Amino acid sequence: MSKPIVAIIGRPNVGKSTLFNALAGQQISIVKDTPGVTRDRIYADVNWLNTQFTMIDTGGIEPSTNDLILKSMREQAEIAIETADVIIFLTDVRQGVVDADFQVANMIRRSGKPVVLVVNKVDNFKTMMADVYEFYNLGLGDPMPISGNSKLGLGDMLDEVIKHFKPGTAEEEEDERPHVAIVGKPNVGKSSLINKLTGENRVIVSNIAGTTRDAIDTVIKHNGKEYVFIDTAGLRRKSKIKEDIERYSIIRTVSAVERANVVVLMIDAKEGVTEQDAKIAGIAHERGKGMIIAVNKWDAIEKDDKTMNKFTKDVREKLAFMPYAEMLFISAETGQRLPKLFDTIDAVIENHAMRVGTGVLNEILSEAVAMKQPPSDKGRRLRLYYITQVSVKPPTFVIFINDKELTHFSYTRYIENQIRETFGFRGTPLHFIYRERKDKG
C-alpha cells in the first residue's frame, strides 16, 4: 500500500515552510538524508500516531513580478492538489482573509479533495480566536488555529488530517500486476517510451484514472503479462522559471514512486547524470524501490568500443548511493533494447520480493566475520550474533549485535556485499536493522 500524500498549500508568506519544517523536524517524523537528495526538501515522511504519510510543501518560490507570483503559486498549487489525498490549506491570521485566499479556496473546492483549513501565526489561542473565525468566510469548514513557529496546535491539526485518509480499498490491495514508475527530468523521453511500448504491444490503452492520484496509468501487455506503467510526464506546464519545473516534477515523482514496485529512471545519454537525476534517484532509493536506470537516446551518441564503459562508470560514480541499480542503454525512438526492459523489470521485481533462509544467511554472516574483523572501539569489538530476514519489498534484515554504538556503515556495506555475492539481489536496495542483545555470559 502506498502512503497517503498530504500537500500544504497557500499563498506566499503564510508560513508553509515553517510548518513543513516543524513537522519534518520534530520527532513526529524521521527524515533521512540520502546522498543526492538536497536539503531544500519539499517532501518528508511524517509519522503521526502510527499513521505514515508523505507531506509535500509547495512553498517558497516567488518570482519577482507580481503577476508571476500568482501564476507560479497557482501552478504549484494545482499540481499539489491533483497529487494529494488531503490538502492542508494554510492561511495567516495576521493578514486576515485576503482575495488570494478566496482564489485558492475555489481551486480546492473544484478538486473535491478533502481539505483541512489551517490558520497560522495564532500565538495566543485565547485572544486571537475572533480573528480565526473570520476564516469561516472561505466556506471550507472549521478553521484550525496553529502556530508553526511555536509549534502550537499541530497535534489537533494532524488528528484532523489523518481522519481523511481512506482505508486501502480491496481492489488496490489485490492488484498484483507489476507497477512501474517511469521517472526522470522533463523532456528525457518518458512519454515517448510509453508510447513506443504501447504501440509495440498493440494493447488498448486503458487510462485508468486509477487511485485518488489522477495520474494516468497505462496498462501494457507483454508476453501475455500485464504491467501498469505510471507516467510522471503528466501535464505539460510552461514555466518561465527553471526551479519551478524541477519542483513540479519532484512533486509528481514522489507520488509516482510511492505507488510503484519498480522505478525506471530515464537519463538523457547526451547530458549524462545531472543533479536533478540524482535527486529523483534519491527519492526511489529512500523509499526502497526496485531500480532500473535507462539511458535513453543512446542511438544518437557517437560511439567507440569504450563509450559504454565510460558512460556506465560516470553514472555509477554520480549515483554511488545505489550501486545495486540495473542499467540499460535504450532508445525510446527506435525501440532499441525495449524487449530487454521487460526482462529486467521482471528480474528486479523478483529480487525485490526475494526471501532468503535464515540458515544460509547465518552461514554467510559467520564466514564474513571470519574473513574480516568487525569494527572495535576502545577495546570493545562489535559482535554479530544472528541475522534473519524480516520482510520483503525491499528485502529487510535484522542483525542481532552486542552494541549499536560499534556499528559502522562500511561494515554494514561489507555484509551487504557478501549477501549480494551469493544471492545477487540485483536492482533492489537491501535494508539492515540492528538490534542489541546483551553479551551472553
Side-chain angles (χ1 to χ4, degrees), residues 15 23 200 230 283 288 347 350 391 417-418 437:
L23 295 175
E200 298 279 349
I230 305 163
I283 293 171
E350 203 171 299
S391 63
N417 290 340
Q418 301 306 308
R437 224 169 63 184

Side-chain angles (χ1 to χ4, degrees), residues 376-413:
S376 63
D377 183 42
K378 299 190 185 72
R380 269 179 72 72
R381 186 169 293 288
L382 175 67
R383 297 180 56 182
L384 298 93
Y385 301 123
Y386 184 77
I387 182 172
T388 183
Q389 183 175 351
V390 288
S391 63
V392 294
K393 299 182 184 177
T396 303
F397 304 88
V398 168
I399 303 179
F400 290 93
I401 56 168
N402 59 337
D403 187 354
K404 276 188 188 167
E405 300 284 303
L406 297 169
T407 60
H408 193 272
F409 75 90
S410 61
Y411 200 78
T412 309
R413 190 179 300 152

Side-chain angles (χ1 to χ4, degrees), residues 9-10 58 72-82 104 107:
I9 72 164
T58 60
S72 153
M73 181 188 98
R74 170 167 301 132
E75 288 183 355
Q76 286 235 45
E78 277 170 8
I79 293 192
I81 287 171
E82 181 188 304
V104 180
M107 282 164 51

